[in-house]
Amino acid sequence: MSDNCIFCKIASGELPAKKVYEDDDCVAFHDINPAAPVHLLLIPKKHVCSLADIKDEDAPWLGRMVVLAQKLAFENGCTPGHDGGFRLVANTGREGGQEVDHLHFHILGGPRPWQKRAAPAA
Ligand code: AMP
Ligand code: ZN
């Protein structure tokens, strides 16, 4: 837990969020300002600033989060199959567009067009 980190506070329950999933390692909740019909944030409970801070020993829980991401995407409204899908985004650092300094994956999906904000053109 890092002081004054909003995502640590959401993970601990100190701040409210529309949670869709929680286990020992991570929490998923709806983004407060959705950029797509489905826009979830998946965060580790452990305070890690960004993907730039990941160490070899973080691989197990990080791998589990990536496996979990596709499950959460389809359980929460993303369209399955080749014509559906979703986008998994981890903005990293200021030049990477990161605003909240607690590692998070955006899970974005649903029928297009989406807003451009959190899903910049590839
Ligand atoms: P990023 O620019 O990758 O750091 O994205 C931060 C995301 O967190 C943005 O999409 C915000 O809309 C979202 N966000 C900020 N505060 C909250 C909150 N209290 N609950 C849910 N989502 C939030
Ligand atoms: Zn944090």
Short mmCIF file of all heavy atoms in Angstrom, two decimals, residues 6-7 10 15-17 29-34 39 41 90-91 97-101 104 106 117-118, ligand 1:
data_model
loop_
_atom_site.label_atom_id
_atom_site.label_comp_id
_atom_site.label_asym_id
_atom_site.label_seq_id
_atom_site.Cartn_x
_atom_site.Cartn_y
_atom_site.Cartn_z
N ILE A 6 -4.58 6.25 -5.40
CA ILE A 6 -6.02 5.98 -5.49
C ILE A 6 -6.30 4.51 -5.79
O ILE A 6 -7.29 3.96 -5.32
CB ILE A 6 -6.76 6.89 -6.50
CG1 ILE A 6 -6.14 6.82 -7.88
CG2 ILE A 6 -6.83 8.32 -6.00
CD1 ILE A 6 -7.00 7.55 -8.92
N PHE A 7 -5.42 3.87 -6.55
CA PHE A 7 -5.70 2.46 -6.87
C PHE A 7 -5.39 1.55 -5.68
O PHE A 7 -6.07 0.53 -5.51
CB PHE A 7 -4.96 2.04 -8.14
CG PHE A 7 -5.56 2.59 -9.41
CD1 PHE A 7 -4.99 2.33 -10.65
CD2 PHE A 7 -6.72 3.38 -9.39
CE1 PHE A 7 -5.55 2.83 -11.83
CE2 PHE A 7 -7.28 3.90 -10.55
CZ PHE A 7 -6.68 3.62 -11.78
N ILE A 10 -8.56 1.86 -3.76
CA ILE A 10 -9.64 1.05 -4.34
C ILE A 10 -9.41 -0.42 -4.01
O ILE A 10 -10.34 -1.15 -3.63
CB ILE A 10 -9.72 1.29 -5.87
CG1 ILE A 10 -10.35 2.67 -6.13
CG2 ILE A 10 -10.52 0.18 -6.56
CD1 ILE A 10 -10.39 3.10 -7.58
N LEU A 15 -11.57 3.42 -1.02
CA LEU A 15 -12.31 4.21 -2.01
C LEU A 15 -13.26 3.28 -2.76
O LEU A 15 -12.90 2.14 -3.06
CB LEU A 15 -11.36 4.84 -3.03
CG LEU A 15 -10.69 6.16 -2.69
CD1 LEU A 15 -9.82 6.61 -3.86
CD2 LEU A 15 -11.72 7.23 -2.36
N PRO A 16 -14.47 3.76 -3.09
CA PRO A 16 -15.43 2.91 -3.79
C PRO A 16 -15.06 2.74 -5.27
O PRO A 16 -14.42 3.61 -5.86
CB PRO A 16 -16.74 3.69 -3.66
CG PRO A 16 -16.33 5.11 -3.50
CD PRO A 16 -15.00 5.11 -2.80
N ALA A 17 -15.46 1.62 -5.83
CA ALA A 17 -15.31 1.38 -7.27
C ALA A 17 -16.32 0.31 -7.63
O ALA A 17 -16.77 -0.46 -6.78
CB ALA A 17 -13.89 0.92 -7.59
N PHE A 29 -12.13 -3.42 -11.97
CA PHE A 29 -13.28 -2.53 -11.76
C PHE A 29 -13.50 -1.68 -13.01
O PHE A 29 -12.62 -1.58 -13.88
CB PHE A 29 -13.06 -1.63 -10.52
CG PHE A 29 -11.75 -0.90 -10.50
CD1 PHE A 29 -11.66 0.41 -10.97
CD2 PHE A 29 -10.60 -1.50 -10.02
CE1 PHE A 29 -10.45 1.10 -10.95
CE2 PHE A 29 -9.38 -0.83 -10.00
CZ PHE A 29 -9.30 0.46 -10.47
N HIS A 30 -14.69 -1.09 -13.09
CA HIS A 30 -15.01 -0.24 -14.24
C HIS A 30 -14.24 1.08 -14.18
O HIS A 30 -14.17 1.71 -13.12
CB HIS A 30 -16.51 0.05 -14.28
CG HIS A 30 -17.34 -1.13 -14.68
ND1 HIS A 30 -17.62 -1.43 -15.99
CD2 HIS A 30 -17.92 -2.10 -13.94
CE1 HIS A 30 -18.35 -2.53 -16.05
NE2 HIS A 30 -18.55 -2.97 -14.82
N ASP A 31 -13.67 1.47 -15.33
CA ASP A 31 -13.04 2.79 -15.43
C ASP A 31 -14.10 3.86 -15.22
O ASP A 31 -15.21 3.77 -15.76
CB ASP A 31 -12.36 2.96 -16.79
CG ASP A 31 -11.41 4.14 -16.82
OD1 ASP A 31 -11.88 5.30 -16.74
OD2 ASP A 31 -10.19 3.92 -16.91
N ILE A 32 -13.77 4.89 -14.44
CA ILE A 32 -14.73 5.94 -14.11
C ILE A 32 -15.08 6.80 -15.31
O ILE A 32 -16.12 7.46 -15.34
CB ILE A 32 -14.17 6.79 -12.93
CG1 ILE A 32 -15.28 7.46 -12.15
CG2 ILE A 32 -13.14 7.79 -13.43
CD1 ILE A 32 -14.82 8.02 -10.82
N ASN A 33 -14.23 6.79 -16.32
CA ASN A 33 -14.42 7.63 -17.52
C ASN A 33 -14.21 6.75 -18.75
O ASN A 33 -13.18 6.84 -19.43
CB ASN A 33 -13.42 8.79 -17.47
CG ASN A 33 -13.62 9.76 -18.60
OD1 ASN A 33 -14.67 9.77 -19.25
ND2 ASN A 33 -12.60 10.54 -18.89
N PRO A 34 -15.18 5.89 -19.05
CA PRO A 34 -14.95 4.85 -20.07
C PRO A 34 -14.70 5.41 -21.47
O PRO A 34 -15.37 6.34 -21.90
CB PRO A 34 -16.24 4.02 -20.03
CG PRO A 34 -17.26 4.87 -19.35
CD PRO A 34 -16.51 5.80 -18.44
N HIS A 39 -14.96 -0.95 -20.58
CA HIS A 39 -13.67 -0.37 -20.17
C HIS A 39 -13.44 -0.70 -18.71
O HIS A 39 -13.98 -0.05 -17.81
CB HIS A 39 -13.65 1.14 -20.39
CG HIS A 39 -12.29 1.75 -20.21
ND1 HIS A 39 -12.00 3.05 -20.57
CD2 HIS A 39 -11.12 1.24 -19.70
CE1 HIS A 39 -10.73 3.32 -20.30
NE2 HIS A 39 -10.18 2.23 -19.74
N LEU A 41 -10.50 -1.73 -15.61
CA LEU A 41 -9.11 -1.62 -15.19
C LEU A 41 -8.79 -2.82 -14.32
O LEU A 41 -9.57 -3.18 -13.43
CB LEU A 41 -8.89 -0.33 -14.38
CG LEU A 41 -9.15 0.98 -15.12
CD1 LEU A 41 -9.05 2.16 -14.15
CD2 LEU A 41 -8.19 1.17 -16.28
N ALA A 90 -1.39 -1.16 -21.29
CA ALA A 90 -0.75 -0.74 -20.04
C ALA A 90 0.10 0.49 -20.34
O ALA A 90 1.27 0.37 -20.75
CB ALA A 90 0.11 -1.86 -19.46
N ASN A 91 -0.51 1.66 -20.20
CA ASN A 91 0.25 2.90 -20.38
C ASN A 91 1.37 2.93 -19.33
O ASN A 91 1.12 2.66 -18.15
CB ASN A 91 -0.67 4.11 -20.21
CG ASN A 91 -1.75 4.17 -21.27
OD1 ASN A 91 -1.53 3.76 -22.40
ND2 ASN A 91 -2.92 4.66 -20.89
N GLY A 97 1.82 7.80 -21.56
CA GLY A 97 0.43 8.21 -21.35
C GLY A 97 -0.14 7.80 -20.00
O GLY A 97 -1.35 7.88 -19.78
N GLN A 98 0.73 7.38 -19.05
CA GLN A 98 0.24 6.93 -17.74
C GLN A 98 -0.03 8.12 -16.84
O GLN A 98 0.82 9.00 -16.69
CB GLN A 98 1.28 6.01 -17.09
CG GLN A 98 0.81 5.43 -15.76
CD GLN A 98 1.80 4.43 -15.17
OE1 GLN A 98 2.94 4.29 -15.66
NE2 GLN A 98 1.39 3.74 -14.13
N GLU A 99 -1.25 8.14 -16.24
CA GLU A 99 -1.61 9.22 -15.32
C GLU A 99 -1.67 8.74 -13.88
O GLU A 99 -1.38 9.51 -12.97
CB GLU A 99 -2.96 9.82 -15.73
CG GLU A 99 -2.87 10.56 -17.07
CD GLU A 99 -4.21 11.10 -17.54
OE1 GLU A 99 -5.22 10.86 -16.86
OE2 GLU A 99 -4.22 11.74 -18.60
N VAL A 100 -2.08 7.50 -13.66
CA VAL A 100 -2.15 6.95 -12.31
C VAL A 100 -0.96 6.01 -12.11
O VAL A 100 -0.81 5.02 -12.84
CB VAL A 100 -3.48 6.21 -12.07
CG1 VAL A 100 -3.50 5.58 -10.68
CG2 VAL A 100 -4.68 7.15 -12.24
N ASP A 101 -0.12 6.34 -11.11
CA ASP A 101 1.14 5.61 -10.92
C ASP A 101 0.96 4.35 -10.08
O ASP A 101 1.62 4.18 -9.03
CB ASP A 101 2.18 6.54 -10.31
CG ASP A 101 2.66 7.58 -11.33
OD1 ASP A 101 2.58 7.31 -12.54
OD2 ASP A 101 3.12 8.65 -10.90
N HIS A 104 -1.65 -0.71 -14.08
CA HIS A 104 -3.01 -1.14 -14.42
C HIS A 104 -3.09 -1.49 -15.89
O HIS A 104 -2.44 -0.87 -16.73
CB HIS A 104 -4.04 -0.05 -14.09
CG HIS A 104 -3.73 1.31 -14.63
ND1 HIS A 104 -2.79 2.14 -14.06
CD2 HIS A 104 -4.22 2.00 -15.69
CE1 HIS A 104 -2.72 3.26 -14.73
NE2 HIS A 104 -3.57 3.20 -15.76
N HIS A 106 -5.72 -1.53 -18.94
CA HIS A 106 -7.03 -1.19 -19.47
C HIS A 106 -7.51 -2.37 -20.30
O HIS A 106 -6.76 -2.88 -21.14
CB HIS A 106 -6.95 0.02 -20.41
CG HIS A 106 -6.52 1.30 -19.76
ND1 HIS A 106 -7.41 2.29 -19.41
CD2 HIS A 106 -5.29 1.76 -19.41
CE1 HIS A 106 -6.74 3.31 -18.88
NE2 HIS A 106 -5.45 3.02 -18.87
N ARG A 117 -9.39 8.64 -26.51
CA ARG A 117 -8.56 9.05 -25.38
C ARG A 117 -7.65 7.95 -24.83
O ARG A 117 -6.44 8.06 -24.91
CB ARG A 117 -9.46 9.58 -24.27
CG ARG A 117 -8.72 10.11 -23.09
CD ARG A 117 -9.69 10.50 -22.00
NE ARG A 117 -10.60 9.43 -21.65
CZ ARG A 117 -10.28 8.41 -20.85
NH1 ARG A 117 -9.09 8.35 -20.33
NH2 ARG A 117 -11.16 7.47 -20.58
N ALA A 118 -8.25 6.88 -24.28
CA ALA A 118 -7.42 5.85 -23.65
C ALA A 118 -7.01 4.77 -24.64
O ALA A 118 -6.34 3.84 -24.29
CB ALA A 118 -8.15 5.21 -22.48
P1 AMP B 1 -3.79 5.96 -17.30
O1 AMP B 1 -3.84 7.21 -18.13
O2 AMP B 1 -3.37 4.75 -18.09
O3 AMP B 1 -2.98 6.14 -16.04
O4 AMP B 1 -5.29 5.66 -16.90
C1 AMP B 1 -5.85 5.97 -15.66
C2 AMP B 1 -7.32 5.60 -15.76
O5 AMP B 1 -7.84 5.55 -14.46
C3 AMP B 1 -8.16 6.58 -16.58
O6 AMP B 1 -8.80 5.90 -17.65
C4 AMP B 1 -9.18 7.10 -15.56
O7 AMP B 1 -10.46 7.32 -16.11
C5 AMP B 1 -9.18 5.99 -14.51
N1 AMP B 1 -9.55 6.38 -13.17
C6 AMP B 1 -9.04 7.40 -12.44
N2 AMP B 1 -9.60 7.43 -11.21
C7 AMP B 1 -10.48 6.40 -11.17
C8 AMP B 1 -11.39 5.92 -10.17
N3 AMP B 1 -11.48 6.49 -8.95
N4 AMP B 1 -12.16 4.84 -10.47
C9 AMP B 1 -12.08 4.26 -11.69
N5 AMP B 1 -11.24 4.67 -12.66
C10 AMP B 1 -10.47 5.73 -12.41
#
